[in-house]
Amino acid sequence: MTLLINVLVFIFVLGIIILIHEGGHFYFAKKAGILCHEFAIGMGPVIYQKSDGETQYSIRAIPIGGYVSMAGESVSDAMFRKGETIGLILDENKKVKEIVLYEGGTYDVIGVVKSFDMYGKNMSPLYIEIETQSGVERFEVYRNAIYRLKQNKTMWVTPEERSFEAKSLWQRFITIFGGPLMNFILAFVLFFVIGFFIQQPNYDSNQIGDVANDTLASELLLQPGDLIVAINGTSIGSWYDLSSVMSANDSTMIDITIDRDGTLTSYQDVNTTVFVQSAGISNDRSTDLAVIGSSSGRASVAGLQSGDLITKIDQTDVSSWDDIISFFKTYTTGGQVVVTYERDGVLDTATYDLISESDLMALGTTNVVFQIGVSASGTFDFGYSLLYAPRQFSANVSEIFTTIGLLFGAGDSSIGVSDLSGPVGIFQLVSNVRENGFVSLVVFIGFLSINIGLLNLMPIPALDGGRLVFLGFEALTGKPVNKKFENTLNLIMFFVLIGFIIFVTFNDILRF
């Protein structure tokens, strides 16, 4: 049941983001008068399809994308070629209102195409010349005529004035940019709404605001309102003190003193959760040995699993998680390590690259993270809530650009394409975030929407950013890029991107 819920939430999250993105393209295309043949959510085989006027609305089987098929995007402006046999359905004025392109269809006249103009530049009449048994005949075509591809499948002809390429630079720009723009608007609106459900944390206090399930805090039966007054003998007067003491900690075992309604309670040698970011491992709190409690990211790809007993990292012997903490607190450069572990009595090794401490700090975090399972107390503040959206939006954009910079920037960066996530990785993230509650899920949807918006603006052919580059070239030179060249380059990059998605998904499956 949990898996089913996670799958449904995953489809819902991606569906909303794709719907908003493609809806942006569709809205501005319609505003510009561009003929849109199809508005599709998902890729691959059709699950559901409905025609409404000139557009077919489709839901397709693979929920990893979508598209708006606009007139003028293909090299040819017609659905047939010279020498093909087609059927024509005429009205009482002998003008073509339907062009039949499938065998077995009904028609008024049939013949082999000799010449045609289905573009009608500068509003010149559309026409088709076909050779029938009576000879070559010329028929004028209505500008709102349709192709009948199958008995129940039609598509409108695409005269110049309804084509994407015939619109102004600004209309084409906003049509392309409209997708990412709507992603950004979606994120901002979600953050704005969530801002009024989030309290302003009081980091100047040492009071607990919330206790997470299945953590040290929940096992100790700590409650919201309790005061953390000391850790490892060091007085705690604020959340800043707590962060400082825990960052300096070098052991899974801590002493913690709690004040509840004036009564002090001390807990000695309690076992915290320790997560090593670059290594992707956390401790098994049920034992003092160096047993992995959970494995993710690079550790999973390298083969480490929950329950493995680590005996050595590089040349350093390991007998407890304190040894692991010590190793990673001093190993700040990043690079390749060899982890020796025991599984079912058999020794084996896992080799993988670590993310350097400097790269982690650039992403706003550190390598070794101690988790008690508590969060700071807070109060509602209207000004804080009002400013939550721009702050959160700015922080997400900054984090994404920082990650891109580390990924494609400095040559000594320890973050690579193997760290990226595809559909399977996003499914894992959605599943994990869902467990943290509705607010966390909505904030993640906003973050993912910004990611998709920025990703689509990268200057790569087949993405919105690549198409904007072609428009920029046209604006500078006064001449559009050759349509055949642009479409060929887009097609090549499309298959490259598909290959890249397969590669990333393969890594996701290994991590999963």
Side-chain angles (χ1 to χ4, degrees), residues 48-113:
Y48 172 81
Q49 194 169 67
K50 180 181 180 181
S51 295
D52 185 6
E54 61 191 24
T55 305
Q56 285 189 322
Y57 298 88
S58 308
I59 298 177
R60 295 180 175 268
I62 307 173
I64 60 169
Y67 60 87
V68 177
S69 176
M70 290 180 273
E73 290 185 306
S74 61
V75 175
S76 175
D77 51 63
M79 296 291 292
F80 55 86
R81 299 177 182 177
K82 290 181 180 180
E84 288 188 23
T85 300
I86 63 173
L88 305 178
I89 297 178
L90 312 176
D91 70 353
E92 62 276 7
N93 298 315
K94 300 297 182 179
K95 293 178 67 173
V96 178
K97 62 179 182 179
E98 290 190 28
I99 303 168
V100 182
L101 300 179
Y102 71 100
E103 293 184 4
T106 58
Y107 43 79
D108 296 322
V109 61
I110 188 172
V112 178
V113 177

Side-chain angles (χ1 to χ4, degrees), residues 484-496:
K484 186 174 182 179
F485 170 78
E486 179 180 348
N487 286 352
T488 301
L489 191 58
N490 284 337
L491 184 63
I492 292 172
M493 283 307 302
F494 173 78
F495 285 111
V496 170

Side-chain angles (χ1 to χ4, degrees), residues 181-463:
L181 175 63
M182 292 303 294
N183 283 134
F184 302 146
I185 292 175
L186 171 64
F188 194 89
V189 169
L190 291 178
F191 294 155
F192 182 81
V193 173
I194 289 300
F196 291 93
F197 291 87
I198 293 179
Q199 295 182 330
Q200 181 176 9
N202 185 7
Y203 294 127
D204 293 323
S205 169
N206 59 352
Q207 186 179 59
I208 295 174
D210 194 21
V211 176
N213 295 326
D214 300 323
T215 62
L216 169 62
S218 62
E219 290 179 9
L220 298 180
L221 303 180
L222 302 187
Q223 300 176 6
D226 290 347
L227 304 177
I228 302 176
V229 296
I231 289 182
N232 294 338
T234 302
S235 296
I236 304 295
S238 69
W239 223 253
Y240 299 108
D241 295 337
L242 175 63
S243 178
S244 177
V245 169
M246 293 304 294
S247 296
N249 190 43
D250 57 6
S251 173
T252 61
M253 310 300 289
I254 64 170
D255 301 334
I256 181 171
T257 302
I258 301 298
D259 181 345
R260 179 180 299 166
D261 299 327
T263 301
L264 296 179
T265 304
S266 294
Y267 304 92
Q268 306 296 318
D269 291 332
V270 290
N271 209 347
T272 62
T273 297
V274 182
F275 179 60
V276 182
Q277 307 253 53
S278 64
I281 55 176
S282 63
N283 61 321
D284 182 346
R285 293 178 50 247
S286 66
T287 176
D288 294 333
L289 299 176
V291 176
I292 297 175
S294 65
S295 169
S296 61
R298 298 175 181 226
S300 293
V301 174
L304 294 177
Q305 300 177 7
S306 173
D308 289 346
L309 174 66
I310 297 177
T311 60
K312 183 180 293 187
I313 303 178
D314 280 348
Q315 302 304 313
T316 303
D317 292 327
V318 171
S319 61
S320 69
W321 258 85
D322 289 351
D323 294 332
I324 296 176
I325 294 169
S326 176
F327 178 88
F328 284 105
K329 278 205 165 188
T330 57
Y331 192 86
T332 59
T333 58
Q336 193 174 84
V337 298
V338 178
V339 177
T340 304
Y341 61 93
E342 181 181 320
R343 181 185 300 164
D344 299 328
V346 178
L347 287 177
D348 204 346
T349 60
T351 303
Y352 59 107
D353 292 325
L354 301 182
I355 300 175
S356 70
E357 185 77 6
S358 60
D359 287 347
L360 288 170
M361 291 179 67
L363 294 172
T365 185
T366 56
N367 208 349
V368 181
V369 178
F370 295 89
Q371 299 169 337
I372 300 175
V374 294
S375 59
S377 61
T379 56
F380 178 78
D381 181 271
F382 182 77
Y384 179 85
S385 297
L386 201 61
L387 293 174
Y388 177 80
R391 281 199 308 266
Q392 187 71 17
F393 189 93
S394 176
N396 285 173
V397 171
S398 177
E399 181 179 344
I400 293 168
F401 274 113
T402 299
T403 303
I404 293 174
L406 293 173
L407 189 62
F408 299 107
D412 59 352
S413 173
S414 54
I415 296 179
V417 293
S418 60
D419 297 301
L420 297 177
S421 289
V424 175
I426 295 173
F427 169 76
Q428 286 184 271
L429 290 171
V430 170
S431 301
N432 294 336
V433 171
R434 185 191 68 81
E435 296 176 357
N436 294 329
F438 178 75
V439 171
S440 295
L441 179 61
V442 173
V443 171
F444 179 75
I445 292 174
F447 175 70
L448 190 59
S449 187
I450 294 173
N451 265 273
I452 290 177
L454 290 177
L455 174 66
N456 271 277
L457 286 177
M458 294 183 69
I460 299 174
L463 298 180

